[in-house]
Amino acid sequence: MVHLLSYIVFIPLVAALLVLLTPKVYQNLYRVLTVLGLGLTLVLIIFAVSKFDGSVQGAINSEANLQLVEKTEWFSMSLGSLGKFSVDYFVGTDGLNVGMLLLAGIVLLIGAIASWNIKEKQKAYFGLYLLLSSSILGCFVALDFFLFYLFFEFMLLPMYFLIGIWGGPRKEYAAIKFFLYTLVGSILILIVMIGLYNSVYDPVKTALEAGYEASQVEQVQQLVQDGTIKSGQIVKSFNMIHMADADNYIPGSFLEKSGLAKIFGQPARWIAFLALLIGFAIKLPAVPFHTWLPDAHVEAPTPISVVLAGILLKVGGYGLIRTAFVMFPDSAYHYSWLIGFFGMFAIIYGALNALAQKDLKKLIAYSSVSHMGFVLMGLAAMTVEGISGAIYQMYSHGLISAMLFLIAGVIYDRTHDRMIENYGGLASQMPKYTVFVAIAFFASLGLPGFSGFIAELMVFIGSFKSSAIPAWMPVVATTGLVLGAGYYLWTLQRMFFGKFWVKDKNWVNSLTDLNSREYLMLVPLVILILVFGIYPSLLLDLINNSVESFADHLFQFRK
C-alpha cells in the first residue's frame, strides 16, 4: 500500500479533527471516534509489520536498510554562498523502529479503551489524546531530524494538558514539572540538531546541485572532502541516515569525524553526544533525571499513565539509539562505562525506591525507572545480545507497564484510593482481578515464560560478554532482580492474601470484580506478554539484521 506510514501517522489526527467538529450534543461519539481511529491505525500497523522483511540487510547508515519508505522534499531555500537548506518528509521502517511502532499501536488503542469512562471535557480530552497519538507514531517513523523533532515536541503539549486538566489533586505541579524537565531535554536535542545540520550534507542532492548524476555519490563525497565542490553547491541535510555516515560530514565543520573542534577543551562530538544522552535520558527517564516521573504517574489519569509508561518512555530509548548511538558511535564507546554505570545504578535505585512506596501507582512508577536501567546497560554493552535485549526490554516493558497501570486504575476507579496498606485479602473479594495482578507482577519481575525474562536475559548475556563495560556491572545489577521480586511479592501478600479487610467499610460494595471493558484491555496484554515470552523470535526475527548492522557500526570503536 502506497503511503502506508503516512496513513498510520495521520489517521489519529484526522480522527482528532472529526472529534473537534462533532457537536457537543453528540459527545458520546468522541470516544467511539477515538477507538475506531486508533483501531484502524493498529490494523494498518499490523499490516505494515506483516509486510516488513526482517531478512533485508544493509548498513545502519544506508537507506538500503529501510522499508516502507516515503521520501519527498518538504521545503528548501537557497543560502547563497553557504549552500542550500533542505528539509524532507522522510519516513520509513527498519529493525530499530518496527517493534516500537507495533507497541505504540497496541498501547494507544488500550489507552483509548481505558479512557471510556472519562466524563469531563470529553471533546478536549479525546482531541488531545488523538493529537498525542499522532505525534508518538510520527516520532517512531520519522527519519528526518527536523520532522522527528516536530513530532517529539508535539507530544509535550497534549501530555501537559492531559495531566494538568484531568489529573489528581497535585495535577498542576506534576504537569509543570513534566513540561519543564522535557523542555530542557528538548532544548539540548535542538542544539545538537542544529549543529548536525551545519555539519552534514545530502550527497545525492549535492551531486545534482553540482551538476553530477545522483548515482555518483561516492565521487561527490570525495570531491567535497578535497574541496572541489564548493560550499555554495553543498545541500545541507537533516537526514538522520546521512548523519550516521561519517563521509557525509562537511570538512572543517563543527561535528566532523576528525573531532578537532573543541568545547571546554573536549571534542565537540563528545559534548554533542552528552547533550543527546541527557536530552533523551530525561524522557527515558534515567537516574538522576527521573524525578518528574513518579509525580506525573501518580497525578495522571489511568489511561495517560498507561501511555506514558507504555510508549512515551520508549521514545527516550529509541531516540538514544537512533541519534546518539548511531550518529556518534565514537562518543558512545567513550562514554559506555558511564552509561553502563547509570543503567546499573537505576536498576538498583529504582527497585529500592519501589520497595519503600506505600502508593501502588508510585511503586509501579519506580519499577519503571528500574526496568529502564536495563535499556541503558544493554546499549552500553554495545553487543548484538545487549542491543537486542535493550530493544526487547522496551517492547516488553511497554506491554507489562501498561498492564500494571491498568490494574492500579481498576482499584482506584472503585475506591479512589491507591494506598497499599489500606487493603488486605482482596483475593477473596476480587479473585479474577487478583489473577491478573499476579500475572502482571510475575511478568514484571522477570519470571521465565513472560516477555520480561527474555529481555533481561539478553541484556545480561550481552553485558557479561562486553568489552565496553566491566563484568562487575551486570553482577551488581542482578541485585535489582532480587529487589524486584521483593517489592512485588510483598505487595501481593499485603493487598491480596489473608483475611479480607479495607480501611473504609463503604468500599466493600464498590470492590466488584472485573467488568467486560477491563477484560477487553487486560486479556490481550496477557496474551501478548505470554506469546512474546514463549516465542521471542516473533520480534527478534524482525530486528536481528538491523541490530547486527548497528553493532557492526559500533564495532570499529569496540575493543
Side-chain angles (χ1 to χ4, degrees), residues 317 320-321 325 336 339 374-383 386-387 390-391 550 554:
L320 273 179
I321 295 171
F325 277 79
S336 59
I339 297 166
F374 287 104
V375 175
L376 284 181
M377 197 164 71
L379 292 177
M382 300 178 78
T383 58
I387 296 165
I391 295 173
F550 181 24
L554 299 172

Side-chain angles (χ1 to χ4, degrees), residues 119-136:
K119 302 300 181 186
E120 297 180 3
K121 303 181 179 70
Q122 290 186 20
K123 177 177 284 195
Y125 176 89
F126 288 106
L128 288 168
Y129 186 87
L130 287 162
L131 175 60
L132 176 66
S133 301
S134 190
S135 302
I136 291 169

Side-chain angles (χ1 to χ4, degrees), residues 24 291 455:
K24 190 175 181 180
T291 57

Side-chain angles (χ1 to χ4, degrees), residues 158-179:
M159 184 59 75
Y160 169 77
F161 288 115
L162 287 166
I163 296 173
I165 296 175
W166 291 272
R170 299 174 72 241
K171 56 191 179 185
E172 293 89 355
Y173 169 77
I176 291 172
K177 192 173 184 181
F178 163 79
F179 187 92

Side-chain angles (χ1 to χ4, degrees), residues 132 152-153 155-164 171-186 282-283 291-293 295-297 304 308 312-313:
L132 176 66
F152 188 82
E153 285 300 283
M155 291 190 299
L156 180 57
L157 282 177
M159 184 59 75
Y160 169 77
F161 288 115
L162 287 166
I163 296 173
K171 56 191 179 185
E172 293 89 355
Y173 169 77
I176 291 172
K177 192 173 184 181
F178 163 79
F179 187 92
L180 292 177
Y181 266 75
T182 307
L183 183 62
V184 170
S186 297
I282 291 172
K283 183 73 82 174
T291 57
W292 64 269
L293 182 68
D295 292 312
H297 270 313
I304 304 309
L308 181 58
L312 249 68
L313 307 189

Side-chain angles (χ1 to χ4, degrees), residues 192-437:
V192 178
M193 184 184 80
I194 293 170
L196 284 165
Y197 158 74
N198 282 312
S199 302
V200 176
Y201 67 96
D202 186 319
V204 175
K205 291 183 179 180
T206 299
L208 296 174
E209 188 75 13
Y212 293 86
E213 297 293 329
S215 59
Q216 296 177 288
V217 168
E218 291 185 5
Q219 181 182 350
V220 167
Q221 287 175 328
Q222 184 58 48
L223 293 174
V224 171
Q225 294 298 318
D226 62 25
T228 303
I229 293 181
K230 303 301 181 183
S231 59
Q233 297 173 304
I234 290 176
V235 181
K236 294 179 180 178
S237 175
F238 284 103
N239 187 310
M240 298 170 86
I241 306 301
H242 294 332
M243 289 176 177
D245 187 346
D247 291 333
N248 293 327
Y249 282 74
I250 301 168
S253 62
F254 201 59
L255 295 175
E256 69 162 331
K257 60 184 179 180
S258 68
L260 296 177
K262 304 284 184 180
I263 300 177
F264 304 122
Q266 299 297 319
R269 288 180 62 83
W270 290 8
I271 302 301
F273 175 84
L274 285 177
L276 288 175
L277 178 65
I278 295 171
F280 287 111
I282 291 172
K283 183 73 82 174
L284 189 61
V287 178
F289 310 108
H290 68 288
T291 57
W292 64 269
L293 182 68
D295 292 312
H297 270 313
V298 167
E299 301 305 324
T302 297
I304 304 309
S305 287
V306 168
V307 172
L308 181 58
I311 315 172
L312 249 68
L313 307 189
K314 282 62 188 178
V315 173
Y318 171 73
L320 273 179
I321 295 171
R322 180 65 76 185
T323 62
F325 277 79
V326 172
M327 296 176 189
F328 300 96
D330 49 342
S331 306
Y333 179 76
H334 178 76
Y335 288 111
S336 59
W337 194 96
L338 180 68
I339 297 166
F341 177 81
F342 276 110
M344 176 204 70
F345 185 78
I347 292 168
I348 299 171
Y349 175 86
L352 286 171
N353 273 276
L355 197 60
Q357 297 309 311
K358 297 181 179 180
D359 185 313
L360 180 60
K361 219 175 180 187
K362 214 164 191 177
L363 180 149
I364 298 169
Y366 275 109
S367 79
S368 292
V369 174
S370 179
H371 284 90
M372 288 299 96
F374 287 104
V375 175
L376 284 181
M377 197 164 71
L379 292 177
M382 300 178 78
T383 58
V384 172
E385 297 90 344
I387 296 165
S388 296
I391 295 173
Y392 209 95
Q393 175 73 343
M394 288 194 289
Y395 183 83
S396 169
H397 182 263
L399 298 174
I400 295 170
S401 62
M403 187 175 178
L404 287 168
F405 280 106
L406 285 174
I407 63 174
V410 167
I411 202 76
Y412 185 76
D413 286 345
R414 286 156 172 75
T415 64
H416 299 287
D417 186 276
R418 295 183 303 265
M419 295 297 112
I420 296 169
E421 61 191 14
N422 292 343
Y423 302 92
L426 287 177
S428 62
Q429 185 79 2
M430 305 171 70
K432 295 173 183 176
Y433 172 64
T434 303
V435 171
F436 283 95
V437 172

